[in-house]
């Protein structure tokens, strides 16, 4: 995968009023070539990560890759096209997948639950109520803290969620609306010879966290 070319394409797309269908149509062959290469790269990464644990959910690149179009129906003020290529792997139904984003503003690896629906959020909170010590142990692991810092900082409840007391042992965890972590990459990381090894290392460190969340919504 020529990530230099991918960055070049995204830079051209985002400048000089190019973020429109006319420019994309004129450069569709370039885009399709990059998209196909990204899918092949994802397929290779998927096969590598499938060997890391028995419950890995095989996710071919065509299934994992996200559309480059923004959803203008719900976000009419956004540009027509995103400034990144993104994909989810280990993408079992109703699970916390492993997300990869390579773009101009952000290059990152992430996983977890971003503002889940009320039913899923309740399941996660019930799991924390039952065994929050396990989640806290994962979050407090030195290598985990070094890699991710902690949970992604998103909106939190000011008071306790319905059904939980303010003096709950794990009230700070329960107040979260998002349960996710992310690892920021640099462009140099993406272009480096050891990029795949970096992804595998982040995936392995994140895995117990994602498994905790997945277990929470299946019990």
């Amino acid at each position: 995968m020529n990530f230099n070319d991918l960055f070049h394409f995204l830079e051209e797309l985002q400048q000089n009023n190019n973020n429109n269908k006319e420019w994309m149509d004129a450069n569709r062959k370039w885009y399709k070539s990059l998209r196909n290469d990204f899918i092949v790269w994802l397929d290779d990464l998927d096969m590598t990560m499938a060997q890391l644990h028995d419950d890995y959910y095989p996710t071919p690149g065509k299934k994992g890759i996200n559309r480059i179009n923004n959803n203008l129906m719900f976000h009419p003020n956004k540009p027509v096209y995103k400034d990144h290529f993104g994909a989810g792997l280990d993408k079992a139904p109703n699970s916390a997948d492993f997300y990869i984003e390579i773009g101009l503003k952000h290059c990152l690896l992430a996983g977890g639950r971003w503002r889940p629906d009320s039913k899923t959020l309740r399941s996660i909170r019930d799991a924390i109520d039952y065994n929050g010590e396990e989640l806290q142990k994962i979050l407090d692991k030195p290598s985990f803290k070094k890699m991710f810092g902690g949970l992604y900082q998103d909106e939190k409840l000011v008071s306790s969620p319905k059904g939980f007391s303010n003096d709950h042992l794990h009230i700070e965890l329960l107040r979260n609306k998002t349960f996710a972590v992310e690892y920021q990459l640099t462009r140099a990381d993406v272009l480096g010879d050891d990029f795949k090894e970096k992804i595998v290392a982040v995936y392995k460190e994140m895995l117990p966290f994602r498994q905790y969340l997945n277990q929470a919504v299946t019990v």
Side-chain angles (χ1 to χ4, degrees), residues 33-134:
S33 176
L34 285 169
R35 185 179 185 278
N36 289 338
D37 287 349
F38 190 56
I39 287 170
V40 171
W41 179 79
L42 289 170
D43 285 339
D44 176 71
L45 182 60
D46 182 58
M47 287 188 291
T48 296
M49 296 203 301
Q51 301 173 33
L52 299 179
H53 71 101
D54 293 338
D55 294 328
Y56 183 88
Y57 192 87
T59 311
K62 281 188 177 180
K63 276 196 169 183
I65 192 170
N66 294 343
R67 287 167 53 87
I68 197 170
N69 305 65
N70 276 311
N71 190 332
L72 300 182
M73 181 178 294
F74 297 103
H75 304 283
N77 296 324
K78 284 191 174 184
V80 178
Y81 301 106
K82 301 171 185 174
D83 66 351
H84 61 270
F85 277 46
L89 295 180
D90 198 6
K91 199 173 181 178
N94 192 31
S95 71
D97 64 4
F98 181 74
Y99 177 68
I100 300 167
E101 180 172 308
I102 300 173
L104 301 183
K105 292 180 181 176
H106 303 287
C107 293
L108 58 88
L109 306 170
R113 293 280 188 165
W114 171 263
R115 298 186 184 179
D117 61 76
S118 58
K119 181 181 178 181
T120 300
L121 184 56
R122 179 70 198 200
S123 294
I124 294 172
R125 285 173 171 158
D126 284 345
I128 293 170
D129 182 44
Y130 175 72
N131 187 13
E133 293 82 5
E134 182 182 347

